[in-house]
Amino acid sequence: MKDAGRDLLDTGWQEGPTGLAYIFRAIGRNFFTLLLTPLLFIAGGLAYLVTVQHLYTATAYLRVQLDDTVLTDNYSPLETHAQLIQSNRIISMVIEDLGLAETLKPTPGRLRQFISAARTRLELDSDTAAEGTDNESLLIGIVQAGLNVERVGRTEMIAVNYTSARRSQAMQVANAFATLYTEDVSGASDRVNQRRKDALEGRVEAIRDLAWLERDTARKLMFRNNYIVTSANDLEDRIAEFHQQLSTVSANEAEIRARLAMISQGDDMEALQASALQTDATLEIYSDLISASRKLEQLKNQPGVSQDTLDRLEESILGMRASLERAVRRIRDDLDLQLAVLTARKATVLEELGRIQDYGRSAEWAQLREAQRKAEIYERIHQQHLNDLEELNRSDASSDVKLISLARLPATPSYPKYKVLLVLTGIFGLLVGVAIAMSREWSARSQPKPALIVDPQLRRHS
């Protein structure tokens, strides 16, 4: 029993309904079915490829200049541009530019025609312009059905795809969409820039007039005050200058007064000695006087010196003393004159300083400062507007949307895909063939087998 079971177990994978031998024999019995079915389906696919309407897709590419911060997975202005390209306005522009109304000639379906005719007979449609509008909507729908605009990955690129039964039409329509939308965006940008330029130019003129008016007011105020000062900086500089002059005059005055104090009105030798130190000439006379005086003392102490010699020497000393006194008086007079000049100069400086300080506290000075301040503000605003205007002029030639590449004539159809269709039909045909073969095998196994008739002679022989 164990040997018999082992034999059945060993040969079951060969002889059973799922054994490899059985499968090979089933494939052999249904070989022509498994071969012909895929071939028939492939032939049908070839016939479909020959008879079906081929569609061609042409693609033009646009680039939208954006900041990196707006390039996200969920949303970006690129999606807005893609929707605008597919808008009815751009489609109408393409239809008009290429004359597609004559090429496509949209016609409504029979059911739609029947309903429209019935409503017309029943006078249910009171709008007489509905027919033209309806044809235009049909034409827009036809063009829109072949249009597909999408963003290329996460880039700044937009692909404008158009599918048509004619290769040339697919290329022309795709290029028309890309070109017209680029020109439309550029024109809109130019119009916006022109409006901004017009507004800026108007503001530039107005601000320039205001600045000129304030400058003219400032000039009139300065002229009325004899141009005593011309600006706040000038006022500060003038005050600082007068303070410096006053300091210099005071220093010179103190020096002269000190020199005058050194020159005494007395006639003693100490006063003459102090006065002799003022100039080189007086110092020389004083030196000669001292030398002569010492010589006189020496001669007086020497015996045998005549009185006449002593008298002449004394007269010479008196002459030198008189000369020194005259020189000292001239120095004193000169110092008195310089002191008077410095005193007058000091009074003048104080007067000018007081006048400027009084002007700095006056209402006219406040008006002058306000006029100059407003003029500076207006001039800065004017310069800023000029810079903005220059920037707008530089940006006139640039646009956010640029045409990167035009669509080319499609070489192969986008539908149907030859290889893909043939492979799919072959696989499907093979699956159908397998299904037929399995059905036949199942039917053959489900039928009852005829009973085996044994010859009695053979039974007796056995």
Side-chain angles (χ1 to χ4, degrees):
M1 291 294 294
K2 293 183 179 180
D3 294 338
R6 187 174 61 251
D7 295 338
L8 290 175
L9 182 62
D10 294 338
T11 59
W13 67 274
Q14 297 178 350
E15 303 296 337
T18 59
L20 292 179
Y22 173 77
I23 292 175
F24 289 144
R25 286 197 299 271
I27 292 174
R29 288 192 296 267
N30 298 277
F31 177 75
F32 290 104
T33 301
L34 296 176
L35 179 63
L36 291 177
T37 306
L39 293 177
L40 289 175
F41 273 85
I42 291 174
L46 288 173
Y48 177 79
L49 291 175
V50 173
T51 57
V52 74
Q53 178 68 62
H54 288 195
L55 299 179
Y56 297 90
T57 300
T59 304
Y61 291 96
L62 301 177
R63 182 175 182 268
V64 181
Q65 186 68 37
L66 297 174
D67 296 333
D68 294 337
T69 55
V70 301
L71 291 175
T72 60
D73 291 333
N74 297 326
Y75 171 77
S76 78
L78 288 166
E79 307 298 335
T80 302
H81 284 287
Q83 294 300 321
L84 289 174
I85 294 174
Q86 302 176 79
S87 63
N88 291 343
R89 187 174 69 86
I90 301 299
I91 294 176
S92 299
M93 292 170 59
V94 172
I95 291 173
E96 182 179 359
D97 184 68
L98 298 180
L100 297 179
E102 298 295 331
T103 304
L104 298 179
K105 294 181 180 180
T107 56
R110 294 182 179 180
L111 179 59
R112 188 181 185 89
Q113 291 179 354
F114 173 76
I115 293 175
S116 299
R119 291 181 62 84
T120 302
R121 292 193 193 95
L122 296 175
E123 298 181 354
L124 297 177
D125 290 332
S126 58
D127 190 0
T128 57
E131 182 178 358
T133 305
D134 190 42
N135 290 335
E136 183 179 359
S137 300
L138 288 173
L139 186 58
I140 290 176
I142 293 173
V143 176
Q144 197 170 29
L147 178 64
N148 180 31
V149 182
E150 58 186 358
R151 177 182 175 183
V152 182
R154 295 188 60 189
T155 66
E156 298 178 351
M157 305 287 290
I158 293 179
V160 181
N161 308 302
Y162 190 77
T163 303
S164 175
R166 291 188 297 172
R167 294 188 298 172
S168 60
Q169 188 178 69
M171 180 188 67
Q172 291 173 359
V173 174
N175 290 336
F177 270 104
T179 304
L180 291 177
Y181 183 73
T182 303
E183 294 175 353
D184 184 69
V185 171
S186 178
S189 177
D190 291 342
R191 289 191 295 271
V192 171
N193 286 344
Q194 187 61 43
R195 286 195 295 268
R196 291 181 60 189
K197 282 174 27 178
D198 294 341
L200 272 177
E201 288 174 352
R203 286 198 293 270
V204 165
E205 294 292 334
I207 295 297
R208 185 177 59 187
D209 293 342
L210 290 174
W212 183 88
L213 181 62
E214 295 297 336
R215 285 297 181 190
D216 185 64
T217 302
R219 283 192 295 269
K220 290 179 180 178
L221 288 172
M222 288 187 291
F223 177 76
R224 190 164 59 191
N225 292 280
N226 296 323
Y227 292 93
I228 183 172
V229 290
T230 57
S231 65
N233 293 332
D234 187 24
L235 177 64
E236 295 175 357
D237 293 341
R238 292 289 299 277
I239 291 176
E241 179 184 355
F242 282 127
H243 278 296
Q244 181 65 32
Q245 292 179 9
L246 186 61
S247 176
T248 302
V249 170
S250 299
N252 294 334
E253 182 184 11
E255 181 183 357
I256 292 175
R257 288 185 185 278
R259 292 179 64 186
L260 284 173
M262 293 174 63
I263 300 175
S264 174
Q265 298 292 336
D267 295 336
D268 56 334
M269 290 303 293
E270 293 182 358
L272 290 175
Q273 180 181 2
S275 301
L277 298 176
Q278 301 298 317
T279 63
D280 294 338
T282 56
L283 182 60
E284 183 179 357
I285 296 173
Y286 179 74
S287 299
D288 294 340
L289 177 63
I290 294 298
S291 298
S293 299
R294 290 176 179 176
K295 186 176 182 180
L296 178 62
E297 293 295 332
Q298 292 176 358
L299 291 176
K300 286 181 178 181
N301 295 327
Q302 292 179 5
V305 178
S306 63
Q307 186 64 34
D308 185 49
T309 301
L310 295 176
D311 292 339
R312 286 198 302 273
L313 186 57
E314 288 179 351
E315 290 178 0
S316 175
I317 290 172
L318 291 175
M320 286 187 289
R321 186 182 180 92
S323 299
L324 181 58
E325 289 176 351
R326 287 194 300 272
V328 170
R329 281 195 298 271
R330 284 195 300 271
I331 292 173
R332 185 167 50 245
D333 293 340
D334 184 61
L335 290 176
D336 288 337
L337 180 61
Q338 292 182 22
L339 182 61
V341 172
L342 287 176
T343 303
R345 176 60 181 165
K346 183 177 181 180
T348 302
V349 170
L350 288 173
E351 182 183 357
E352 290 292 331
L353 179 61
R355 189 164 67 92
I356 289 181
Q357 289 177 339
D358 292 340
Y359 180 73
R361 292 187 291 267
S362 65
E364 291 184 352
W365 167 244
Q367 294 177 2
L368 176 60
R369 288 194 62 184
E370 182 65 17
Q372 290 179 338
R373 186 183 68 84
K374 289 183 178 179
E376 291 178 358
I377 293 175
Y378 289 143
E379 287 171 354
R380 290 180 182 179
I381 296 174
H382 177 262
Q383 185 61 42
Q384 183 62 41
H385 286 340
L386 288 178
N387 295 338
D388 295 341
L389 191 60
E390 184 179 356
E391 183 66 25
L392 281 177
N393 290 330
R394 285 198 300 266
S395 64
D396 279 346
S398 63
S399 176
D400 292 340
V401 181
K402 295 182 179 179
L403 180 62
I404 298 301
S405 65
L406 292 172
R408 295 184 178 182
L409 197 67
T412 58
S414 58
Y415 177 83
K417 300 291 185 181
Y418 297 159
K419 296 179 180 180
V420 174
L421 183 61
L422 291 178
V423 170
L424 290 178
T425 53
I427 293 174
F428 186 72
L430 181 60
L431 292 177
V432 172
V434 170
I436 293 173
M438 291 179 63
S439 176
R440 291 177 60 186
E441 290 295 321
W442 182 262
S443 299
R445 290 182 62 85
S446 61
Q447 291 179 1
K449 295 182 178 180
L452 183 62
I453 301 174
V454 181
D455 191 355
Q457 295 179 0
L458 294 176
R459 183 176 297 177
R460 286 194 302 267
H461 177 74
S462 63

